[in-house]
Amino acid sequence: MSEKTIGMTVTGEIFQPVRLYYSVLNRQEVENCLMRLRCIEEDASQKRWVWLYRDEAQIISFKNDFHCIPEEVSPIVIGSFIWKNDESLILDVRSFERALEAIPFFDKYVPRSLAKIKYCAVVNRIFAVAESIPSNFDIFFEDNDKLVEINPEAFMDRAREGQLSKNDSPNIQAITSFLDNEMDRFFEVEKFPVHFYEDGLTSLKGSFILRQIIAMERWKGDTTYSFKNVFNKMFTAMRS
């Protein structure tokens, strides 16, 4: 098998680690909710709770769905819950698709009065099958100098600075320069807010799609590919 073969999950998605961050108000009650699910098991050896692709979770449709998974490897782990402290619970999954399924799934079984999704962190690169993939994603999301926290409010503040000319009309040159500079950036590991309760999953799904497109182009060899390239391609297609 070629070293350039893309790493995939058993359920058929491109492997890209995602960490979901939950703010918890009552740890014991959250654990009680999880323990009621037959698709959740405690893995005491690794101090985690595993989310298994069976029982309640088997209705989730992946590219390789529940009925496609060989019996000898079933049930597979599709997520891992780890407590960082009594008020912070993380869920690690191995693909963007699993993250998008996990958020509404656990929103159904764990009341929002007990826990809410707050942030998401992603690894914006493609992995080869030949690479050694750790089971603990702290290597990506903890004490990693490549991780950048994205603050949308700070972005908007920067966008407003210098965007008006002396007569208070839009400074098109300044706006174009700002967007050109910002869109040319791309970070390997990012953490950003999730607004699921206000916006649903549409925005997050779009964010994942864009990042995977860029990661794929970089995998193919264009190491400078960024949001700027994606949007330029989109605008060119719209004008043609």
Side-chain angles (χ1 to χ4, degrees):
M1 185 176 290
S2 169
E3 290 186 0
K4 286 296 288 183
T5 301
I6 294 175
M8 306 289 288
T9 68
V10 176
T11 46
E13 315 93 55
I14 293 175
F15 172 77
Q16 282 188 263
V18 180
R19 174 165 286 184
L20 302 176
Y21 298 78
Y22 287 85
S23 176
V24 175
L25 295 179
N26 188 315
R27 174 171 177 166
Q28 187 57 58
E29 286 300 316
V30 169
E31 289 190 353
N32 290 343
C33 291
L34 294 176
M35 289 171 63
R36 293 189 194 105
L37 296 172
R38 290 167 295 169
C39 61
I40 296 290
E41 283 189 3
E42 183 177 8
D43 179 3
S45 65
Q46 296 194 46
K47 297 181 180 179
R48 64 178 185 168
W49 299 76
V50 291
W51 180 29
L52 303 172
Y53 196 23
R54 71 179 189 194
D55 297 306
E56 300 92 347
Q58 74 182 55
I59 64 170
I60 297 173
S61 180
F62 294 111
K63 184 177 180 179
N64 299 332
D65 68 15
F66 176 78
H67 301 287
C68 295
I69 307 300
E71 190 172 331
E72 59 269 22
V73 299
S74 184
I76 62 168
V77 174
I78 53 176
S80 300
F81 281 105
I82 302 169
W83 288 100
K84 288 302 179 181
N85 55 59
D86 287 345
E87 298 177 345
S88 180
L89 179 63
I90 60 170
L91 173 59
D92 286 340
V93 293
R94 299 168 72 88
S95 72
F96 291 166
E97 289 85 350
R98 291 185 185 184
L100 291 170
E101 294 290 349
I103 294 172
F105 181 87
F106 289 104
D107 186 58
K108 177 180 178 181
Y109 293 105
V110 181
R112 297 177 186 181
S113 58
L114 298 178
K116 282 188 174 184
I117 180 77
K118 292 293 185 180
Y119 298 95
C120 171
V122 300
V123 178
N124 294 316
R125 80 173 183 91
I126 305 297
F127 292 76
V129 169
E131 292 186 72
S132 177
I133 305 300
S135 58
N136 188 325
F137 287 172
D138 281 355
I139 191 171
F140 301 119
F141 304 120
E142 299 284 336
D143 300 321
N144 185 345
D145 57 8
K146 292 183 178 180
L147 187 147
V148 176
E149 294 199 26
I150 306 300
N151 185 336
E153 292 183 1
F155 175 86
M156 292 306 299
D157 288 341
R158 294 198 305 274
R160 295 186 188 98
E161 292 176 2
Q163 305 305 300
L164 296 177
S165 61
K166 292 181 180 179
N167 60 1
D168 291 336
S169 61
N171 187 331
I172 302 301
Q173 183 176 355
I175 294 172
T176 302
S177 177
F178 170 79
L179 291 176
D180 193 52
N181 181 59
E182 289 292 324
M183 292 298 100
D184 209 25
R185 300 179 183 181
F186 190 69
F187 305 108
E188 184 172 307
V189 188
E190 292 179 299
K191 180 179 177 180
F192 48 86
V194 174
H195 301 294
F196 169 65
Y197 309 107
E198 302 86 359
D199 305 328
L201 291 171
T202 302
S203 177
L204 184 61
K205 184 177 181 179
S207 177
F208 283 163
I209 290 172
L210 287 174
R211 284 166 170 78
Q212 192 164 88
I213 289 171
I214 298 169
M216 185 61 71
E217 291 301 320
R218 288 179 170 233
W219 163 269
K220 293 176 181 178
D222 188 347
T223 58
T224 65
Y225 205 86
S226 66
F227 288 105
K228 178 180 174 180
N229 300 94
V230 176
F231 291 127
N232 283 342
K233 189 173 183 178
M234 289 170 58
F235 294 147
T236 299
M238 289 170 62
R239 288 196 296 265
S240 63

